[in-house]
Amino acid sequence: MHDVVDLRSDTLTLPTPEMRDAMARAEVGDDVWEEDPTVKRLEAMAAERLGKDAGLFVTSGTQGNLVSVVAQARGGQEVVLDADSHVFNYEVGGAAVVGHVQTRPIKTARGFLTPEQVREAIRPANIHLAETALVCIENTHNRHGGTCCTPEEIAAVAEVAHGAGARVHLDGARLFNAAVALGRPARDFCRAVDSVTFCLSKGLGAPVGSIVCGSHELVSRARRVRKMLGGGMRQAGVIAAAGIVALERMIDRLADDHANARTLAEGVARLPGLRVDLASVQTNIVIFHVERGAADASARATQELVAGGIARKVKVHAIGPMSIRCVTHKDVDADDIRRALDAMNEITQGWA
Ligand SMILES: *Cc1c(COP(=O)(O)O)cnc(C)c1O
């Protein structure tokens, strides 16, 4: 039970006492000189878990995706991705600004490119066309409500991409949520891809940081790009220490977040004026829609729900005029979920 039930994002998780302790004790050195033992340990642990040669500690998921794109696509080349992807929508156009790379957004049904879509999107050799250098996949899928794709689906897309000479990047900001939800080791999702990013700072609860994994060659190129972006972080072992605790202690408990999200979604589905696609609730994200007749009435009701929640110490996030997103995480427990449902029940009472 917490004073405020904060469902806006799993990025709001606070470091655990064990993380604070590990941070205070961390052995550190200059990581730009590759002399920080704690950063090295975290990178090696991550690479081992994902079945890759090497890892690179980066400041954020956004930086991880950007260094991965820039390390694998030159200016004027093209990156194929889903139109709802985080890289395309929420990364400030970094691939264009820093990499001079052209993005090719493809509309997908579930947020996941199919092998056929990738085959169609990859450009043939032709003097008029940008070369397709990279295909990006996102798992779990943020805008589609934390949905998962399987290692086999990723491998099928990668086979087409590789067959055409393109590389594959997995934006696995919440990769461990997918692994826990599907009961598959995280490395299974990474086997077919050239680079993968995951966040330590979301459901895993670390205060800062993400990891990029790939071959030694990919990681050494990514390391140069990270330096260019100002991401060479000196005694970064202080924050990497929390990342080690995140990897060692915080993965298995993601199942609790998934159970809480399920309870929340099923409760929301019973409330008047709220619609949720229960099939899309596969991990720790619940997206639901407010339906109160006309669009403007629905938009007003959405605002009412957000404001009414704040008045009851329950914070939810409007991701569109009539859409709300709730994300469960370690700082939200089963009692908090009941409180959130009670609050929404009170607010929607008058709507029926
Ligand atoms: C959160 C997120 C990112 C970016 O991570 P930051 O650490 O917030 O920069 C990238 N991709 C997806 C799918 C995300 O959900």
Side-chain angles (χ1 to χ4, degrees), residues 60-62 65 86 91 138 140 142 171 173-174 199 201-202 210:
S60 65
T62 300
N65 286 334
H86 197 282
E91 299 189 2
E138 182 174 319
T140 66
N142 186 332
D171 175 2
R174 296 188 180 83
C199 292
S201 56
K202 292 185 171 169
S210 289

Side-chain angles (χ1 to χ4, degrees), residues 9-11 59-65 85-87 90-91 137-143 171-174 197-202 209-210 285 325:
S9 177
D10 50 5
T11 58
T59 57
S60 65
T62 300
Q63 188 179 66
N65 286 334
S85 64
H86 197 282
V87 170
Y90 301 124
E91 299 189 2
I137 303 170
E138 182 174 319
N139 200 22
T140 66
H141 199 292
N142 186 332
R143 254 164 83 119
D171 175 2
R174 296 188 180 83
T197 304
F198 73 89
C199 292
L200 294 159
S201 56
K202 292 185 171 169
S210 289
I285 301 179
R325 188 185 77 166

